[in-house]
């Protein structure tokens, strides 16, 4: 499977989606970050091939030779990315799905509609355009009514309310530690046991061990929720 994660607006969680939702569930897919200014999966310790929007030709040739790939398109490069994609006839067919993360601000939802329209203009079939509701507080239906209504009216994108990532402090903790949910869960260290063995005067070590134990406790339910979101996104 080859997936592009994009949106005209920034700060909607594209790198979170690429690094924590897609990468662990896509057969070790290579991440291509079309980005020049913002964080990428490389900042979390993942292997990332970074390029800019005007380098679409190189990306296109890479996609031709791969079965699985994740293309994380930064807002600073999406205009160039789409413009250069247009130059290669049928290039969008090399990408199976276009995933558009969106948060519940008016600007983000308007820019998401603009992105959907741009993809439709390129000839991308509606069933390959998937909305992913990010930083949901309680309910997709309550927080994204206009976007759901737009998708239902135009049928230009798939909008499954179950394709959602809920607000959680774990993502900031992961960014601070430059790691991923997958790495946290793969770590077999018994931090609780180490805490019990640590001298109570060693405050720095106690802080580190307790943070790691808490991070794992947060990561487990979020990983299960990510699995459900992934299944809903590509249902």
């Amino acid at each position: 499977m080859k997936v592009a994660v994009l949106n005209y607006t920034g700060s909607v969680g594209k790198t979170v989606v690429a690094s924590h939702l897609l990468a662990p569930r896509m057969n070790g897919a290579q991440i291509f970050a079309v980005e020049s200014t913002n964080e990428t999966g490389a900042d979390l310790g993942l292997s990332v091939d970074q390029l800019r929007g005007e380098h679409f030709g190189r990306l296109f040739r890479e996609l031709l030779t791969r079965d699985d790939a994740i293309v994380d398109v930064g807002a600073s490069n999406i205009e160039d990315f789409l413009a250069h994609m247009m130059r290669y006839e049928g290039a969008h067919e090399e990408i199976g799905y276009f995933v558009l993360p969106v948060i519940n601000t008016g600007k983000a939802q308007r820019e998401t509609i603009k992105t959907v329209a741009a993809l439709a203009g390129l000839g991308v079939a509606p069933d390959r355009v998937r909305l992913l509701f990010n930083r949901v507080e309680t309910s997709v239906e309550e927080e994204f009514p206009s976007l759901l209504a737009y998708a239902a009216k135009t049928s230009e994108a798939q909008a499954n309310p179950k394709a959602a990532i809920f607000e959680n402090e774990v993502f900031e903790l992961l960014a601070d530690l430059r790691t991923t949910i997958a790495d946290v869960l793969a770590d077999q260290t018994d931090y609780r046991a180490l805490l019990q063995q640590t001298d109570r005067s060693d405050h720095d070590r106690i802080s580190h061990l307790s943070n790691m134990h808490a991070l794992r406790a947060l990561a487990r339910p979020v990983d299960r929720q990510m699995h459900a979101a992934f299944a809903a996104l590509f249902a």
Side-chain angles (χ1 to χ4, degrees):
M1 185 163 64
K2 302 172 194 176
V3 179
V5 185
L6 71 170
N7 199 312
Y8 271 114
T9 193
S11 301
V12 291
K14 290 184 286 291
T15 297
V16 165
V17 172
S19 303
H20 300 302
L21 178 76
L22 298 178
R25 298 168 179 85
M26 286 183 56
N27 305 315
Q30 175 65 42
I31 299 176
F32 296 91
V34 185
E35 180 61 82
S36 53
T37 59
N38 297 312
E39 181 184 67
T40 71
D43 296 298
L44 301 175
L46 295 173
S47 173
V48 174
D49 188 348
Q50 189 159 346
L51 60 160
R52 298 172 67 95
E54 65 263 27
H55 301 147
F56 182 82
R58 179 162 72 85
L59 174 63
F60 180 54
R61 288 186 285 274
E62 288 277 2
L63 292 176
L64 288 171
T65 65
R66 295 178 183 269
D67 295 324
D68 302 281
I70 300 165
V71 183
D72 177 6
V73 185
S76 61
N77 279 257
I78 188 172
E79 293 278 5
D80 280 345
F81 177 80
L82 295 178
H84 282 76
M85 180 183 285
M86 287 182 63
R87 299 180 183 180
Y88 292 79
E89 184 175 351
H92 65 80
E93 298 293 345
E94 286 304 316
I95 297 173
Y97 295 98
F98 293 81
V99 173
L100 281 56
V102 57
I103 58 175
N104 65 357
T105 66
K107 180 179 186 296
Q109 295 188 58
R110 290 191 298 272
E111 292 291 285
T112 300
I113 290 172
K114 176 183 173 183
T115 310
V116 171
L119 292 173
L122 286 173
V124 179
D127 65 340
R128 293 166 53 215
V129 181
R130 307 293 173 100
L131 302 186
L132 177 63
F133 304 97
N134 192 24
R135 299 180 193 162
V136 179
E137 293 286 350
T138 55
S139 166
V140 170
E141 289 85 355
E142 292 178 6
E143 297 169 38
F144 299 88
S146 60
L147 196 53
L148 290 170
Y150 171 83
K153 180 180 179 180
T154 65
S155 298
E156 291 181 344
Q158 301 293 306
N160 183 349
K162 293 182 179 179
I165 299 173
F166 287 82
E167 184 68 52
N168 195 292
E169 64 183 296
V170 72
F171 299 112
E172 285 192 21
L173 294 173
L174 292 165
D176 289 342
L177 293 171
R178 301 173 69 87
T179 190
T180 65
I181 290 175
D183 285 341
V184 169
L185 297 182
D187 180 2
Q188 298 300 308
T189 306
D190 189 340
Y191 291 104
R192 192 171 187 278
L194 290 175
L195 269 169
Q196 294 173 342
Q197 300 164 12
T198 299
D199 187 325
R200 290 294 178 258
S201 65
D202 192 344
H203 300 297
D204 288 343
R205 181 166 172 77
I206 287 175
S207 176
H208 170 71
L209 294 174
S210 59
N211 284 342
M212 293 305 295
H213 183 69
L215 180 59
R216 185 183 294 160
L218 281 170
R220 285 177 179 141
V222 171
D223 187 61
R224 292 193 293 271
Q225 192 264 314
M226 286 281 196
H227 189 72
F230 183 88
L233 184 62
F234 298 111

